[in-house]
Amino acid sequence: MDYHDYSLDKSLGYKLAKSSRLLTNRLNQTFREHGLPITVEQWSIMVQLWENDGLTQNDLAILTDKDQPSVSRLIDNMIKRNLVKRVPHPTDRRTNLIYLSPFGSEIQKELISLVLKTLAETSKGIDPKEMEICFSVLDRVIENLK
């Protein structure tokens, strides 16, 4: 392929980055409009804790594909926003467990409802079979990049 044949608009990376940025911006805006003190990055941690409360920061880093320093900063900000709390590990003094705060648990249904509504708006007019194909292709892209 000649470099003259390259088009940014036909680049997988460009389209993925653009759609990801637009969806992230939309979700962050939606959370703000509803007075919810959370970002999309924090959302990914909240989802993991709703599924399995009391994870270590290392567990959260692995589950969210983020590095340790990023997760530590996210947790610090989430503590300030009363979304989670750090609790010393009962047997390992070097480790903390991250638990949802009562407020973090309380907003679960509202957040999930807002995310589902936003995703429905995002996929409006797209046939469900096409979405299945899209997810399948993206799963393969992810596997190829691992």
Side-chain angles (χ1 to χ4, degrees), residues 7 14 23 37 52-53 56 86 90 111 114 121 125 130:
S7 171
Y14 175 76
L23 181 55
N52 190 14
D53 207 11
T56 66
R86 274 193 187 99
L111 282 168
L114 290 170
E121 292 167 357
E130 287 180 295

Side-chain angles (χ1 to χ4, degrees), residues 4-146:
H4 287 74
D5 296 332
Y6 178 80
S7 171
L8 190 61
D9 287 339
K10 293 182 182 176
S11 164
L12 176 64
Y14 175 76
K15 289 202 177 276
L16 287 173
K18 185 174 182 177
S19 59
S20 177
R21 182 179 44 79
L22 290 169
L23 181 55
T24 296
N25 290 346
R26 174 72 57 91
L27 284 168
N28 283 333
Q29 177 185 0
T30 299
F31 294 156
R32 275 192 312 275
E33 287 172 354
H34 286 83
L36 296 165
I38 190 168
T39 65
V40 170
E41 280 194 304
Q42 294 167 343
W43 158 261
S44 67
I45 289 178
M46 296 291 285
V47 169
Q48 297 302 327
L49 293 173
W50 290 326
E51 292 175 4
N52 190 14
D53 207 11
L55 295 169
T56 66
Q57 286 185 196
N58 187 50
D59 293 334
L60 288 167
I62 291 166
L63 291 167
T64 60
D65 286 322
K66 296 184 187 314
D67 60 51
Q68 285 277 8
S70 295
V71 170
S72 183
R73 274 191 306 279
L74 285 168
I75 298 297
D76 288 343
N77 285 325
M78 293 171 78
I79 289 169
K80 290 176 188 170
R81 295 175 183 198
N82 191 30
L83 296 168
V84 299
K85 58 187 174 183
R86 274 193 187 99
V87 175
H89 192 284
T91 58
D92 184 353
R93 297 169 76 192
R94 300 165 295 155
T95 306
N96 290 308
L97 300 175
I98 309 303
Y99 287 93
L100 292 164
S101 69
F103 175 66
S105 294
E106 177 186 312
I107 62 173
Q108 177 183 9
K109 287 182 182 174
E110 183 177 7
L111 282 168
I112 290 173
S113 174
L114 290 170
V115 168
L116 290 173
K117 180 181 177 200
T118 302
L119 292 175
E121 292 167 357
T122 301
S123 58
K124 186 174 123 185
I126 301 173
D127 186 276
K129 292 249 188 245
E130 287 180 295
M131 287 302 290
E132 274 184 52
I133 292 168
C134 178
F135 286 135
S136 176
V137 169
L138 290 174
D139 286 341
R140 283 185 279 171
V141 168
I142 291 166
E143 276 305 307
N144 289 342
L145 293 172
K146 282 186 177 178

